[in-house]
Amino acid sequence: MSEELDVVDRRILDLIQEDATLSVAEIADKVGLSSSPCWRRIKRLEEIGVITKRVTILDRAALGLEFEVMASVKLALPNRENLEKFEAAVETWQEVVDCATVTGAVDYMIHVVTTDMHAYDGFLRDKLLGQGLVSDVQSRIVIRVTKRTTSIPLSLSQIKRR
């Protein structure tokens, strides 16, 4: 069973997605509520798992982390044990900012962020291929990011009860 988000919930989530530093009072003002009911709504959204974390997004260029690669990864033997080993290793690699199991000719797509091509080569040799689990990697260097957002399309959403 699912429960629909109302207009106010969606507006609160839109505001928080855009700027997690907004105070409850600022959010309340923007959605037409007083602070207490707004705070209760935010707490409910946290309790039911819709809001899972609030983070700060850093400027990669300012930190010298402008080299990005999208890599498709195929395991030599994609059995349960190797999938679990690979996923556990990925959790420890700070260069991997996103990893997804995918369908098709490869097993994973990973998004790697590092300083330059030499650092990526070290990551590739020492970590990705160093596990002995991977049979093929196809690396695609990001030339320019056309769109990057952390916001999800709330107009398409429903809350699934757990």
Side-chain angles (χ1 to χ4, degrees):
M1 176 176 288
S2 64
E3 154 187 347
E4 293 287 328
L5 292 171
D6 69 18
V7 173
V8 176
D9 289 336
R10 289 176 194 273
R11 183 70 182 122
I12 289 169
L13 292 171
D14 272 334
L15 290 166
I16 291 171
Q17 282 192 119
E18 187 61 33
D19 184 358
T21 66
L22 291 174
S23 69
V24 172
E26 290 170 311
I27 295 168
D29 183 56
K30 291 177 187 277
V31 300
L33 292 175
S34 62
S35 291
S36 292
C38 183
W39 180 84
R40 283 193 297 273
R41 281 178 180 259
I42 292 169
K43 280 295 172 205
R44 181 181 65 83
L45 292 166
E46 289 172 343
E47 289 166 5
I48 63 176
V50 172
I51 299 171
T52 59
K53 187 188 291 190
R54 299 183 202 192
V55 299
T56 299
I57 298 171
L58 305 177
D59 184 327
R60 292 177 183 170
L63 296 168
L65 296 169
E66 293 181 271
F67 193 79
E68 295 184 53
V69 176
M70 302 294 191
S72 57
V73 178
K74 181 160 183 53
L75 298 185
L77 180 62
N79 61 25
R80 180 182 205 82
E81 180 182 350
N82 287 346
L83 292 168
E84 289 172 358
K85 282 181 185 176
F86 180 79
E87 290 168 11
V90 165
E91 287 292 328
T92 69
W93 299 337
Q94 65 181 355
E95 300 92 340
V96 177
V97 296
D98 198 24
C99 176
T101 305
V102 295
T103 61
V106 299
D107 300 304
Y108 295 95
M109 290 298 299
I110 61 172
H111 182 186
V112 179
V113 174
T114 191
T115 55
D116 57 31
M117 188 174 299
H118 299 292
Y120 178 70
D121 183 58
F123 165 79
L124 183 65
R125 292 170 185 264
D126 299 337
K127 294 181 180 178
L128 195 56
L129 298 175
Q131 298 292 308
L133 298 170
V134 174
S135 67
D136 187 43
V137 177
Q138 297 293 317
S139 300
R140 288 159 181 83
I141 297 169
V142 175
I143 303 299
R144 182 171 54 95
V145 176
T146 304
K147 178 180 179 178
R148 174 168 286 142
T149 182
T150 58
S151 298
I152 59 171
L154 291 171
S155 63
L156 306 175
S157 68
Q158 294 181 22
I159 296 177
K160 304 259 187 219
R161 291 188 194 206
R162 297 175 187 199

